[in-house]
Amino acid sequence: MKILIAGAGEVGTHLAKLLSTENHDIVLLDNDHKRLEFAHDDNFDIMPVLGNPTSMKALAMAGAGEAELFISVTPEESMNVVACILASKLGAKKTMARINNNEYLQPDKKAFLATLGIDDMVYPELLAAKEIASGLKLPWTRQYWSLFDGKLDLIAVKIEPHSRLVGRHLYELGDLETKLFHIVAVRRLYHTIIPTGADIIQAGDIVFFTCAPEDKDTVRQFCGKEDIQVKKVFIMGGSRIALRAAELLPSDFKIKIIELDHDHCKRLIDAAPSNVMVINGDARDPRLLKEEGIELSQAFLALTANSEANMLATVAAKRMGVYRTVARIENIDYLDIAVQMDIGNLINKKLLAAASIFRHLLNIDVTNVKCLSIGQADVLEVVATPASKITKAPVKDLKLPKGITLGGLLREGQAILIDGNTIIRPKDVVMIFCVDTPMSRIRSLFA
């Protein structure tokens, strides 16, 4: 597939690097030659083109007319909108624009933009806010996702030393009680593994479970976690992610946003929900946090644009007794370090945006794609067809490619946990958990 990406900023660069490993024809367009320098590296199969994404001449030179997918992800929303409209007029088959305005996602606005040539939009800050709001529903988890429209849950949990799972082989878990959950992966130190029955759970492992929504508490108990509810939240930094997250959290939450810029505080006061208090100050100051009652809060979210400051602030908050901490980490190289620092939930909008875009690139019926920042993995909900190889034998006989496992499926509206004897049928929606796996391997199973 020929893909033209406009904008070599954080999101565009990360996306281009990812897609270049998938045997796509990638062209990266930007008006700053310094941002394009990395594309000359032989490790990346990317064609850099210097030019303005809103120039029809530059778009034509970059091949917008032949592009099967045009993605504009510059930091400027207006530039992305104009670039997509122009690319569509030049002949691009499908366009996607990165936006910063929630208004554009309203059905009537979305329909209007479609008439102009903008087929889809990605709002990284909103994706990050949804991830945060979802995670705070279950503060004892590292990450939490609802799959199959709420019929199955995927939960990442750090295993406590006193957990009943510690020291157990996976094949023993069937003896503990009726199978109410399925372990799909284990994050240990810097690596995520797809476990076998012979693997042993260790204290400190981050384990990924699938389970029915009503069985989440069983998973919590097995992991040795307390049942704590979040009601008071501190947020460091009044970013767009912070504001969107505050809007998505329940109205009975008491939220304090601490922002260093005085003028920005005034704007936040006008925009924030009524349950949000805006404080002008430095959230890295322990004295200020104590004065504002940090000891009485259950969650601390560090959401500034500075990854290092966010990491240090969450560590400090944990030392003050905050149960759930969330750090926005935009530098991907820091993710492994952040996991080892035991920071808590990690948010990276580049990875979230890439996962959202990936679903448009697979030539199979994909209903959802999620990116696991702490698991170095992707989760996909894929529909099996009569021709799919994955329907031809029980799961234990499929010889799945390395790095791929199945966590569950949806059949005629009912969620089912998968084991070795499960036979996948056509029309089943299957949850795929894949670690460092090219999408071509997924296509080979479901095409």
Side-chain angles (χ1 to χ4, degrees), residues 226-239:
E226 297 179 74
D227 186 13
I228 292 180
Q229 300 297 313
V230 171
K231 289 297 180 182
K232 296 182 179 180
V233 180
F234 273 61
I235 301 179
M236 170 178 160
S239 62

Side-chain angles (χ1 to χ4, degrees), residues 326-338:
V326 178
R328 173 185 173 188
I329 309 292
E330 291 305 331
N331 189 329
I332 293 176
D333 294 334
Y334 289 169
L335 289 176
D336 282 338
I337 299 172

Side-chain angles (χ1 to χ4, degrees), residues 22 154 184-185 192-194 358 362 369-372 375-382 401-407 431-442 445:
E22 294 288 331
L154 174 62
V184 295
T192 299
I193 60 173
I194 304 299
F358 256 139
L362 297 171
V369 178
K370 299 178 186 296
C371 176
L372 281 59
Q376 300 171 323
D378 293 300
V379 173
L380 302 87
E381 298 174 15
V382 188
K402 184 179 179 181
I404 292 177
T405 189
L406 313 180
M431 192 219 89
I432 309 290
F433 188 106
C434 47
V435 181
D436 296 329
T437 305
M439 292 299 113
S440 58
R441 293 187 181 180
I442 305 296
L445 292 171

